[in-house]
Amino acid sequence: MSKGGIPQVVDNHGAADFSRLMTVPQSEDLIDQAFRKGRKAQAPKGAPGEAGKNRELARVGAASRTFESRLHRVIRSFPNLDELHPFYHELVDVLVSVDDVKQHLGAVSWARSRIQSIRSDIEKRIRAAENNHEIMLARKEAYGRMASIVTDISDDLAELAKIRYELAGIPTLRIDQPTLVIAGYPNVGKSSLLTEITRATPQIAVYPFTTKGVHIGHRDHRHHQVQILDTPGILDRPMDERNPIEQQAILALRHAADTILFLLDPSGHCGYPLDAQTNLLNEVKTLFEDTTILTVENKSDLETTGEHPAISVTENEGLEAITENALDAAVDAFNERWQPF
Ligand SMILES: Nc1nc2c(ncn2[C@@H]2O[C@H](COP(=O)(O)OP(=O)(O)O)[C@@H](O)[C@H]2O)c(=O)[nH]1
Ligand SMILES: [Mg+2]
């Protein structure tokens, strides 16, 4: 949390944690809240005869400042989309459209500045008022105009509330940490490998592009914490079987993956022949042309081709050497890519 209790969404060089987005308040609640503050506002002691003015000035000030600060908080609680790392930018765009978010936030920002200018208008009028009737009228007008502006943006606030829920589904992947992605057909041993090399139960993050969760494990290596990802539903079958959203998820992953460990199962025990697996490997190579890809054969206890390094996760054969290589490659690639700005 940052100052003032506003959740900081973009905390680290464009890395985002959308799970901490605040709930977006709705128009009616905002209006109730602001006018309640207005009613409770205490006027400062002033010259005799100024009591009426001071009381209404305090009310208008309290109500409008409540609107202003609550709306400001809504704006600040969303990531600055222009500063967002490309990984999150793509994910946000596929889920909710960056243009829509900008438009709704623009409306909130408009409302906030309108309320500010109403406040200064009305404050002038109250100060210049000649009698109590004028003072009351000015305050009532202020309330009416502020409420109608906040009512005008009720659709935007409602949309932002929905968007907030969509964004909460984006995994809290750290863009500022080296990332190793395990890919390969189902049942080749990806999850077993992840569990084995991270020696802890991986976190499971809800990922909006697949019904299965993304598994994230961690391992310290050369003073870095490396994230290791198993992404079921994402890099485990031919690309032409994917819908546009899954394709977009793959594009997003390109910005996050420092190294890919591609697992083959030459035994076919997984249920897919080796040439189908090799085709997927070639597709992944084409899509991730700038990413280091280590190809490894698993289930060496059953069969190997001799063409790639081989491991057996269940027999714990060759695991440490391969893991060290993969972590090295991920840290190297991360050091190349990561330029904090
Ligand atoms: N014989 C053998 N079986 C393995 C090995 N690694 C994983 N398996 C088995 O392969 C099956 C699928 O493994 P899993 O990790 O769920 O694969 P995933 O779908 O790629 O995540 C499980 O029954 C594992 O026990 C291995 O090295 N040798
Ligand atoms: Mg699995």
Side-chain angles (χ1 to χ4, degrees), residues 27-310:
S27 291
E28 274 184 34
D29 302 333
L30 283 177
I31 293 169
D32 285 351
Q33 197 186 7
F35 291 168
R36 199 163 48 236
K37 289 266 171 154
R39 269 197 304 281
K40 285 196 206 145
Q42 298 286 341
K45 287 210 168 57
E50 299 282 285
K53 272 188 191 182
N54 286 340
R55 187 183 59 238
E56 298 310 321
L57 281 172
R59 285 184 171 172
V60 169
S64 74
R65 285 194 172 83
T66 304
F67 281 128
E68 288 164 43
S69 73
R70 298 285 278 145
L71 294 175
H72 188 47
R73 224 195 254 204
V74 170
I75 297 163
R76 286 202 33 202
S77 76
F78 276 82
N80 180 339
L81 298 166
D82 296 322
E83 281 173 13
L84 214 51
H85 186 280
F87 170 73
Y88 295 106
H89 197 280
E90 295 219 33
L91 292 190
V92 170
D93 208 21
V94 57
L95 280 177
V96 298
S97 153
V98 165
D99 283 346
D100 285 357
V101 183
K102 281 188 174 165
Q103 201 191 314
H104 298 308
L105 289 174
V108 173
S109 176
W110 165 85
R112 178 170 170 254
S113 65
R114 288 290 304 132
I115 284 170
Q116 266 169 345
S117 72
I118 291 170
R119 165 160 57 85
S120 60
D121 258 20
I122 298 286
E123 280 173 350
K124 274 185 216 130
R125 266 178 49 195
I126 293 179
R127 287 203 180 89
E130 312 234 305
N131 54 49
N132 275 344
H133 181 63
E134 275 178 38
I135 295 171
M136 289 301 290
L137 275 185
R139 197 263 291 161
K140 278 192 179 147
E141 185 184 321
Y143 273 26
R145 285 167 65 190
M146 289 178 193
S148 105
I149 281 165
V150 173
T151 306
D152 277 352
I153 59 160
S154 54
D155 287 351
D156 298 288
L157 291 172
E159 281 305 308
L160 287 171
K162 274 193 225 153
I163 287 169
R164 182 247 172 277
Y165 280 107
E166 293 276 349
L167 294 183
I170 291 186
T172 53
L173 195 69
R174 294 284 301 265
I175 227 69
D176 55 346
Q177 290 185 348
T179 303
L180 173 67
V181 174
I182 306 176
Y185 260 95
N187 296 319
V188 296
K190 300 183 297 298
S191 302
S192 311
L193 176 66
L194 179 72
T195 307
E196 192 61 35
I197 65 181
T198 58
R199 293 187 212 92
T201 319
Q203 281 165 248
I204 299 184
V206 186
Y207 206 54
F209 310 102
T210 158
T211 48
K212 303 153 200 156
V214 164
H215 302 235
I216 307 179
H218 297 96
R219 180 139 151 184
D220 292 332
H221 190 70
R222 284 169 38 198
H223 310 295
H224 287 276
Q225 190 185 50
V226 180
Q227 315 173 95
I228 309 176
L229 257 63
D230 171 21
T231 58
I234 305 264
L235 289 176
D236 61 1
R237 62 203 157 88
M239 299 304 156
D240 59 7
E241 291 175 13
R242 325 202 141 268
N243 65 39
I245 287 190
E246 289 167 332
Q247 286 173 13
Q248 193 96 23
I250 292 171
L251 293 186
L253 211 51
R254 281 204 307 206
H255 299 290
D258 290 302
T259 295
I260 293 176
L261 183 65
F262 194 97
L263 279 192
L264 293 169
D265 171 4
S267 75
H269 171 265
C270 63
Y272 304 91
L274 186 56
D275 49 340
Q277 298 180 50
T278 312
N279 288 342
L280 178 63
L281 170 60
N282 289 331
E283 287 185 330
V284 170
K285 279 183 179 165
T286 312
L287 273 169
F288 291 79
E289 53 179 0
D290 300 324
T291 307
T292 311
I293 299 180
L294 301 176
T295 309
V296 173
E297 295 178 4
N298 186 29
K299 309 192 187 177
S300 64
D301 51 302
L302 300 177
E303 200 170 326
T304 58
T305 69
E307 283 179 37
H308 307 280

